[in-house]
Amino acid sequence: MTPLAVTTARHLTAYVVAVTFSDGTTQDIDFGPILDQFGPTDYRAIYRQPEYFRAFAIENGNLVWGEDWDLIFPVWKLHQNRLTVAVH
């Protein structure tokens, strides 16, 4: 069985990205609420800037932001459109 992967991603509006998966399904994911969960010193300030938010990429089947994968979410959570921030 092939692992679930992100195959395409397209910016729609504000913080919404249409993500297509290797099983053919697509989710329109609003990342705005998840960005709000980051503390003010975290990535919120950076990725709330439209030019940085729109600079996502697909690498190894993952939707990522930043050269060092500053933001990355489990593909299965993207597939289910259930994003959360881990609290340490």
Side-chain angles (χ1 to χ4, degrees):
M1 180 176 198
T2 305
L4 188 63
V6 173
T7 57
T8 64
R10 181 173 52 93
H11 179 256
L12 295 177
T13 61
Y15 304 103
V16 179
V17 177
V19 180
T20 303
F21 301 91
S22 55
D23 68 354
T25 61
T26 300
Q27 287 281 1
D28 292 347
I29 303 170
D30 184 356
F31 289 90
I34 199 77
L35 290 173
D36 286 340
Q37 291 180 28
F38 289 112
T41 59
D42 293 319
Y43 297 111
R44 181 175 61 193
I46 296 169
Y47 292 104
R48 274 288 184 188
Q49 297 177 52
E51 65 273 16
Y52 288 106
F53 179 77
R54 289 190 303 260
F56 53 82
I58 299 169
E59 295 183 22
N60 300 322
N62 293 288
L63 183 63
V64 301
W65 285 260
E67 289 181 21
D68 296 323
W69 293 15
D70 294 339
L71 296 180
I72 183 171
F73 301 94
V75 174
W76 68 270
K77 284 191 174 189
L78 294 173
H79 189 262
Q80 294 179 2
N81 204 348
R82 294 186 179 181
L83 301 180
T84 58
V85 172
V87 178
H88 299 281

